[in-house]
Amino acid sequence: MFESISDQIKNYKKIVFVTGAGISQESGIHTFRGNEGLWRNYDLMKLATIDAFYENPKLVWEWYNDRRSNIFQAQPNQGHNAISELEKYAQVVVLTQNIDGLHKKAGSSNVLELHGSIVKIKCSVCDYNEDILTEISDFPPLCKCGNILRPDVVWFGEPLPQDVWQNAIDFASECDLMVIVGTSFVVSPANTLPLYAKQNNATLIEINPETTEMSGEMDEIIRNTSVEILPKLVSLFKK
């Protein structure tokens, strides 16, 4: 384990983590593609689109409210906490596809939420946006301007916020070590981030129980969960 980096661990000064649903699943958050409970009869991939929202905003909001309830109850796990702890030893940036906010809750100070945050809501028309940490009771909720509020997340077919994405590219292009955790890398453009790191001759490590689209590009692959492995990575920096 970590054979490719054990001899040079102290030389890594800029570390980027790219994280996906796998790391949060261990905190009890349902994966996006899982059909849980009363939503099992819906194609959730189709619910997460702007077309679905305008066709039936009440249904989309009910689904997101279920997700919000699940996420608000979740706590960071040992994987999240290990990434936060690693800031004691190196410059650490987290590029996450997750919308649950658990990296920030764990104490990570430099987190780029590529796909937005379920904590945030915004108006579908005006510039209003706000963090809402409570349950939403009226579906769909309305803005003061009278238009429908929506979750401040990136839906299928929508572009990533350009400032966030450009910063993600910059961090990936400058890192010494990139650790990819719990993501299948089937979603673009996040799946291009390892290529930017590779151009900088960074070491790439994948931590995932399953083979992914980018496994062939990795310098080291660890087929295990983040809860098991990330604390061991931190222990290398402590030696």
Side-chain angles (χ1 to χ4, degrees), residues 32-50:
F32 181 81
R33 290 170 176 80
N35 293 334
E36 279 90 13
L38 63 97
W39 302 106
R40 64 185 179 273
N41 294 324
Y42 290 91
D43 184 346
L44 302 188
M45 303 286 284
K46 292 181 179 178
L47 281 182
T49 66
I50 190 64

Side-chain angles (χ1 to χ4, degrees), residues 30-45 47 56-70 139:
H30 308 316
T31 59
F32 181 81
R33 290 170 176 80
N35 293 334
E36 279 90 13
L38 63 97
W39 302 106
R40 64 185 179 273
N41 294 324
Y42 290 91
D43 184 346
L44 302 188
M45 303 286 284
L47 281 182
N56 194 338
K58 181 176 184 292
L59 175 67
V60 172
W61 258 113
E62 286 174 343
W63 174 47
Y64 269 93
N65 211 46
D66 260 14
R67 298 190 72 198
R68 284 165 59 88
S69 177
N70 176 224
F139 301 118

Side-chain angles (χ1 to χ4, degrees), residues 17 23-24 26-27 75-86 102-103 106 108 181 225-234:
F17 285 87
I23 190 171
S24 293
E26 297 175 87
S27 287
Q75 296 299 319
N77 58 52
Q78 290 172 297
H80 297 104
N81 294 333
I83 293 174
S84 175
E85 185 180 359
L86 201 56
L102 289 184
H103 284 295
S108 289
V181 185
T225 64
S226 57
V227 165
E228 290 292 329
I229 301 303
L230 288 179
K232 296 177 181 177
L233 174 61
V234 175

Side-chain angles (χ1 to χ4, degrees), residues 56-230:
N56 194 338
K58 181 176 184 292
L59 175 67
V60 172
W61 258 113
E62 286 174 343
W63 174 47
Y64 269 93
N65 211 46
D66 260 14
R67 298 190 72 198
R68 284 165 59 88
S69 177
N70 176 224
I71 285 170
F72 290 166
Q73 294 175 35
Q75 296 299 319
N77 58 52
Q78 290 172 297
H80 297 104
N81 294 333
I83 293 174
S84 175
E85 185 180 359
L86 201 56
E87 290 187 10
K88 298 175 182 177
Y89 309 101
Q91 176 186 317
V92 177
V93 177
V94 181
L95 311 178
T96 186
Q97 300 171 83
N98 298 334
I99 61 173
D100 51 50
L102 289 184
H103 284 295
K104 291 181 177 179
K105 189 181 282 190
S108 289
S109 59
N110 200 346
V111 180
L112 274 68
E113 296 171 317
L114 303 178
H115 295 163
S117 171
I118 203 168
V119 170
K120 301 177 184 295
I121 63 173
K122 66 179 181 180
C123 183
S124 56
V125 177
C126 77
D127 293 333
Y128 170 81
N129 64 83
E130 186 178 359
D131 289 4
I132 301 293
L133 295 170
T134 58
E135 294 294 320
I136 294 174
S137 55
D138 295 326
F139 301 118
L142 299 179
C143 181
K144 293 178 181 178
C145 73
N147 290 289
I148 302 172
L149 293 169
R150 55 164 285 181
D152 194 358
V153 298
V154 177
W155 283 327
F156 291 106
E158 294 183 319
L160 271 59
Q162 285 306 296
D163 56 339
V164 174
W165 177 239
Q166 186 57 57
N167 286 335
I169 291 174
D170 292 343
F171 284 122
S173 300
E174 297 169 359
C175 71
D176 309 311
L177 172 65
M178 177 175 280
V179 185
I180 296 100
V181 185
T183 174
S184 59
F185 267 144
V186 297
V187 177
S188 166
N191 57 5
T192 64
L193 289 170
L195 303 180
Y196 290 103
K198 206 171 184 66
Q199 290 173 1
N200 193 46
N201 295 316
T203 301
L204 303 182
I205 297 177
E206 180 178 72
I207 301 173
N208 198 314
E210 307 294 334
T211 300
T212 73
E213 297 286 333
M214 294 298 295
S215 293
E217 301 294 330
M218 299 297 128
D219 295 299
E220 183 167 345
I221 298 171
I222 301 173
R223 290 286 172 245
N224 209 323
T225 64
S226 57
V227 165
E228 290 292 329
I229 301 303
L230 288 179

